[in-house]
Amino acid sequence: MARLLIAEDDAAMRNFLTRSLIRAGHEVVAVENGLKALPHITPGGFDLLLSDVAMPELDGVALAKRAADLDPMMKVVFITGFAAIAMNRKDSDPPPHSAVLSKPFHLRDLVAMVEQLCTS
């Protein structure tokens, strides 16, 4: 199916997302923060970046902006418990091809969103 890069600082959530998306048929690379995600981003390397918004060192919004420079076609899904606050910052225009999934979310909603973005 799709090749996904996950950037999530919470180990339990990162493992849950990884296992779930692999079971859904996707290829997944998971890292614990935005800085560790950057070296993996190359043109055409991943179909989608799934990133927590609030992470140490490099937050999800800043990661998505840098990812858009490296691979403008990669889609982004932000996962967060405070989406409205984080995405309404003055410096956080969402990148093109992006969506927000607020915690808590159901696994089927995540899988559906990933599949919709990766096929559009």
Side-chain angles (χ1 to χ4, degrees):
M1 301 267 293
R3 190 151 194 257
L4 313 176
L5 176 60
I6 297 173
E8 167 63 63
D9 61 323
D10 180 273
M13 177 63 84
R14 186 174 60 251
N15 291 332
F16 168 74
L17 293 170
T18 300
R19 285 190 318 270
S20 300
L21 290 166
I22 288 172
R23 273 192 224 122
H26 301 289
E27 183 179 338
V28 176
V29 172
V31 296
E32 60 268 17
N33 63 51
L35 283 180
K36 296 227 173 156
L38 281 176
H40 293 280
I41 301 170
T42 59
F46 289 93
D47 301 299
L48 185 136
L49 168 64
L50 180 64
S51 179
D52 191 3
V53 171
M55 292 184 291
E57 299 184 47
L58 183 65
D59 70 36
V61 175
L63 170 61
K65 286 181 179 184
R66 293 186 57 189
D69 291 337
L70 297 168
D71 184 358
M73 298 308 295
M74 186 170 54
K75 295 165 175 95
V76 178
V77 173
F78 294 105
I79 52 173
T80 185
F82 53 97
I85 295 168
M87 298 308 292
N88 284 325
R89 296 183 338 200
K90 289 186 179 193
D91 66 337
S92 44
D93 293 328
H97 317 296
S98 67
V100 176
L101 190 61
S102 296
K103 295 176 188 175
F105 55 84
H106 194 282
L107 178 59
R108 72 174 167 260
D109 297 330
L110 170 66
V111 171
M113 182 177 283
V114 166
E115 290 177 2
Q116 177 186 13
L117 284 169
C118 288
T119 59
S120 61

